[in-house]
Amino acid sequence: MSLKTRYSEKIRLDERHLELSRIQFGSHFDATYLNTGSVGRKPGVVLDAIERGWRHLNINPTLTTYLESEHTESCRQAAADLFEVSSECLFFADSTTQGLQLLIGSFLRNAGDEVVTTSREHKSVNTILRYLEDTRGIRVRRLTVDNDLSSEQLCMSILNVISPETRLILISEIDCHTGWRPDLTILTESLKLLEKPLLVDGAHAPGNGPCRPGRYPLWVGAGHKWLGGPNGTAFVYAERDLIPRLDPLIFGDGFYQLREEDLYDPRRLECRGTADVVKLMGLKAAVELYAGLDQMLISDYQNYLVSYLKESLLSRLPARMRGPSMGLPEGEGQASMITFYFEPDFLKVKDLRQALWDEHRIWVQPDFLGDNPGAGARISCHYSLCESDIDRFIEALSGFVVD
């Protein structure tokens, strides 16, 4: 039985989905884009919303920028509805990095404050923590994540190193390097009993199936990746009782007024000077598009593409898979990314990303877990893609691999 036959009933690959992709993402591109995990292509509704937004703003830029709060609030409510959280606990940042910096800095204030995290976090997290080590004297306890680690082992390993000085635990909801989605239930429930705050980097979660940040006390997510929102958009969720503990990165007009009116209102953290409300109009369109889709169907389809790609790689090429996203124990999760690499003797080129782009107009993410990132790739299987995109990639890749 073929892979497509095994999946077809579950994911319902039909013309309705293909038509959605054609309408929203078009078929006029002269390039195959396989790196949504870094920055996503923008669907048509987002491009249209941004164009309408700039034209609207241009009628009275001061009014729209400073006084028409409905644009920001309608986007906030749309996101809150999608994530099934209270809009009063949700605020916007210009990036997941900015949101992470705000939350991390709010809980690691003094010399000796400790954060427990892992070796598989995004490099922006490492940069933030290094800066706080240099300037505040915080301590970083970093757990090494092995390729065969299970979710339970990951959670228990973190819990075993927590100390009285631990002020924050930081972990990714989806591993940015491999797409592994560990089950964090044990960690979340245990930390709640220990009254230790957990910060979850959910950069890849919005658009990768149903996204529920309310499961965690602190969470950040990207709007510009899988959702296809404008660049410079991110969501930050904080439990209501934690909001008064949050410090801004930038102080702007309105901060003290909002704080004095309601210490639990996170909108004061959005006071960063002149705001770009137009990008929030685009973000709202992205959120509403995804909210209107069958999210489980989209997730199943993206997972099918991952499986189709993996089977194609292993059956046709001497590719090796990165863990722990591959070979998962039963019950483990996999988001819509796959990472592989080749041993040096099997490649005709030094940098796959550059060669694929120069010769075939195919864009991928390097394998940043390897000593030679150019010898591998991380592929994002977004629902805007189809089997023919995967086939084109495999055919192009074959030309760079020794027979």
Side-chain angles (χ1 to χ4, degrees), residues 214-262:
R215 294 178 296 176
Y216 313 113
L218 299 165
W219 176 91
V220 295
H224 70 279
K225 295 181 184 288
W226 300 87
L227 284 178
N231 289 5
T233 55
F235 314 95
V236 183
Y237 170 82
E239 286 184 346
R240 187 175 187 275
D241 289 346
L242 296 178
I243 292 174
R245 299 177 61 178
L246 304 184
D247 294 331
L249 293 177
I250 303 173
F251 290 90
D253 183 35
F255 171 79
Y256 284 108
Q257 179 182 343
L258 288 171
R259 192 182 71 167
E260 290 165 3
E261 289 176 354
D262 184 357

Side-chain angles (χ1 to χ4, degrees), residues 64-82:
T64 299
T65 300
Y66 298 114
L67 300 175
E68 290 180 346
S69 61
E70 62 266 24
H71 302 298
T72 300
E73 295 310 316
S74 62
C75 182
R76 192 191 318 277
Q77 190 59 57
D81 291 343
L82 176 65

